[in-house]
Amino acid sequence: MRSAGGAIPTLPSGNLLGHYAEFRRNPLTVLSRLAAIGPIGRIRLGHRFLHLVNDPEGVRQVLLDGSDSFVRGAGSPDVLRPFIGSGVLTENGAAWKQHRRDLQQPLVSAMQDRHAQAAAEIAARELPRWRERADASSTLPISLEMMKLTYRVTTRVFFGIETDEREASEFVDLFWSAQVDVFQILANGVLSLRHLPTRGNQRARSASAALRRIAARLARGAVDTAGNGYMARVRASAAGHEQRLQGCPYHRLRGSAPDAARAQVVDQVMGVLVAAPENPSNTLTWCLLLLAAHPDVEARLRAEVDRVLGGRAPTSADLRELEYCTQVLQETMRLYPGAWAFERECKEEREVLGHRLPRGAVIVVSPYLLHRRADLWPDPERFDPDRFAPSRVDAIPRHAFLPFGLGPRRCVGERFALVEMQILLPMLLQRYRFERAPGAPTDPQPLFTLRPRDGLRLRVSALADRAPLKPPVVTEALAG
């Protein structure tokens, strides 16, 4: 659906500040109403307008063809830098390209096998303890436990460091606290308020400082630790190429590196910690909720897991055969994409869907809303993994499915997130059955990612007829 040009449709509001107050409370609520008026529309937030582009063609124009003109902006980098430092999530231009190269260089395909192996080993050790942590009614804070699990996978895979339950809990508590407060600063729209000594600002600064101390410890430990983690890949990829090694930010922690270089390393580690654990955690959490509500899908998925794995833990060699598992995860990401919105700012006047957008215009692309357009996704609220079956996947409109973004800023860790989820979901189902806990809230909370509001609690019951998992079959290539 293409707009005919002319004035951009505006969602009416009788409030002097437009939809500012409603947007602060829940941006998805007001953006959902805005999406209903057409493929492009705008709302007023105080003194500025926010434009929603909710159309595959418009998405292509903004995120792909116009990626040099539509950049990270609207003040979000200024808010995020004190939280996560300078990195791929905050920068534009040459600085962004360098940060992305630093992250991407060691993410070679060979590391996927190690990622799968690490996820399986950590899950095999940690999942049996979930039952012990459930309360008297057998309910468990799944959001919390999942995030701790994916954090521990991240520290093993990317830094070659084993973290324990206490360290994982510390990170998750700080990260969630900081995210709520930092997102609220951004949603306020009045960026100068972030300098005031409010309780929210002080909490955000305190949590952010503590997170950076964790990142610094991981960075130092990764450089000093031999192993198969991401840092080891950095060193291995640069072996025999001293110029490349000197250019790699993690090398700068060796010897007497200047403070600025060390700060850059911590920024890079923060970028990994912000992105790598949470998206797989959120997707798996939503997936368990959806499976609990759709026993037919759950039964079919369990049958595939039993047939392919036969009671052992999965490896990367099994992923191609776990076809329905992949479909379930894709459909979960359609309904609950981790990155629920991408924000951009016009560097120069541009046309989108036939409308002229001025320099400085703020644009939002929301996968959450695009994935719910009924003309693109029939019966869009229905959980139907067969949308992604091989016989139907080609019917999905181009640029209508954006769980990892689009264009040059598409998630650099997309493949690794998928591998981790494809390993962990079967292992969760091999050990437990999950049911909705009575009265537990399940509505989404749109922060920087889309997670269940107040965390999700599910009733967990062990599968009594299941023997302990056999260890994964590790090939010589994996072990090497």
Side-chain angles (χ1 to χ4, degrees):
M1 177 166 44
R2 182 177 175 84
S3 174
I8 298 177
T10 303
L11 191 67
S13 171
N15 191 296
L16 183 63
L17 296 178
H19 294 88
Y20 173 77
E22 184 181 4
F23 188 84
R24 280 194 62 199
R25 286 194 301 271
N26 190 334
L28 272 182
T29 301
V30 63
L31 289 177
S32 295
R33 299 210 316 275
L34 180 58
I37 70 176
I40 185 170
R42 66 179 189 172
I43 55 173
R44 189 162 58 84
L45 302 175
H47 65 284
R48 61 177 182 157
F49 283 98
L50 183 148
H51 303 77
L52 175 69
V53 175
N54 194 45
D55 179 84
E57 173 64 13
V59 166
R60 180 187 65 79
Q61 293 173 8
V62 172
L63 298 183
L64 188 60
D65 297 347
S67 59
D68 289 336
S69 298
F70 296 99
V71 299
R72 292 283 292 176
S76 60
D78 294 333
V79 174
L80 290 175
R81 281 192 197 99
F83 174 38
I84 61 174
S86 173
V88 292
L89 299 179
T90 59
E91 303 307 321
N92 294 301
W96 166 77
K97 290 178 182 177
Q98 183 59 55
H99 285 304
R100 189 173 176 93
R101 278 195 297 269
D102 288 343
L103 284 173
Q104 197 168 21
Q105 177 179 299
L107 291 177
V108 294
S109 58
M111 190 179 161
Q112 294 178 16
D113 292 338
R114 301 188 188 282
H115 196 151
Q117 182 182 346
E121 289 175 354
I122 292 171
R125 184 178 68 234
E126 294 303 315
L127 288 182
R129 300 172 184 171
W130 280 22
R131 189 66 186 87
E132 302 166 10
R133 296 172 191 157
D135 62 19
S137 61
S138 297
T139 63
L140 191 70
I142 292 296
S143 302
L144 172 62
E145 295 299 331
M146 199 74 77
M147 184 69 170
K148 289 190 295 186
L149 180 63
T150 55
Y151 173 75
R152 297 178 74 173
V153 173
T154 296
T155 60
R156 160 88 81 85
V157 171
F158 284 83
F159 309 114
I161 294 175
E162 294 286 350
T163 46
D164 59 23
E165 169 72 14
R166 180 194 60 79
E167 292 168 315
S169 296
E170 178 190 20
F171 171 81
V172 175
D173 290 345
L174 288 167
F175 180 74
W176 282 356
S177 172
Q179 187 177 160
V180 170
D181 289 321
V182 172
F183 186 80
Q184 194 59 59
I185 294 170
L186 187 60
N188 281 337
V190 185
L191 301 182
S192 59
L193 294 180
R194 72 183 187 276
H195 300 298
L196 297 179
T198 64
R199 280 183 294 181
N201 289 348
Q202 290 173 334
R203 282 196 308 267
R205 282 193 289 268
S206 176
S208 298
L211 286 168
R212 290 186 69 80
R213 289 193 291 272
I214 291 174
R217 288 201 305 268
L218 288 171
R220 287 193 300 270
V223 169
D224 295 336
T225 301
N228 293 323
Y230 175 88
M231 298 295 207
R233 294 297 310 176
V234 171
R235 294 193 291 276
S237 68
H241 300 275
E242 185 62 21
Q243 185 176 1
R244 285 172 60 195
L245 184 59
Q246 293 292 346
C248 172
Y250 301 102
H251 182 68
R252 298 167 200 157
L253 279 189
R254 292 186 177 276
S256 55
D259 290 344
R262 292 177 179 273
Q264 183 183 354
V265 175
V266 175
D267 287 350
Q268 290 280 24
V269 175
M270 280 296 298
V272 172
L273 295 182
V274 165
E278 190 173 38
N279 277 328
S281 169
N282 286 340
T283 298
L284 289 167
T285 297
W286 288 118
C287 186
L288 294 181
L289 176 65
L290 290 166
L291 291 175
H294 298 84
D296 55 332
V297 175
E298 180 192 9
R300 182 175 165 188
L301 179 56
R302 287 185 183 277
E304 178 184 80
V305 169
D306 289 345
R307 174 179 57 80
V308 173
L309 300 178
R312 62 173 172 81
T315 72
S316 58
D318 299 308
L319 302 186
R320 190 179 297 275
E321 289 190 70
L322 291 168
E323 185 177 276
Y324 192 62
C325 175
T326 302
Q327 293 173 211
V328 167
L329 289 168
Q330 289 173 313
E331 177 70 345
T332 300
M333 291 186 288
R334 183 188 70 82
L335 287 169
Y336 297 104
W340 67 274
F342 306 111
E343 164 268 324
R344 297 290 186 268
E345 182 176 311
C346 286
K347 279 199 328 185
E348 57 197 3
E349 185 179 277
R350 289 285 301 220
E351 182 176 302
V352 175
L353 295 176
H355 294 281
R356 302 301 296 180
L357 294 176
R359 182 176 181 273
V362 179
I363 299 98
V364 167
V365 171
S366 174
Y368 180 87
L369 298 174
L370 187 68
H371 294 175
R372 281 172 162 74
R373 269 187 47 169
D375 58 330
L376 303 174
W377 303 92
D379 197 4
E381 298 295 333
R382 183 165 61 94
F383 180 55
D384 179 16
D386 279 329
R387 297 179 200 272
F388 294 93
S391 60
R392 292 175 57 184
V393 71
D394 288 341
I396 298 173
R398 190 170 174 81
H399 309 318
F401 183 54
L402 308 173
F404 294 99
L406 180 69
R409 285 186 177 267
R410 186 173 179 132
C411 177
V412 68
E414 171 182 352
R415 181 58 196 151
F416 295 89
L418 286 171
V419 166
E420 185 171 329
M421 293 186 291
Q422 289 168 311
I423 293 292
L424 293 180
L425 180 58
M427 296 187 73
L428 287 160
L429 297 181
Q430 284 174 316
R431 184 167 292 278
Y432 295 114
R433 191 174 303 281
F434 300 90
E435 301 172 278
R436 284 188 60 175
T442 60
D443 55 314
Q445 182 179 21
L447 297 171
F448 294 111
T449 59
L450 192 69
R451 72 185 196 205
R453 189 177 300 277
D454 302 323
L456 178 68
R457 298 190 69 87
L458 292 178
R459 181 173 291 158
V460 177
S461 55
L463 298 179
D465 59 337
R466 299 297 177 99
L469 287 181
K470 303 170 189 174
V473 177
V474 181
T475 67
E476 185 175 330
L478 275 180

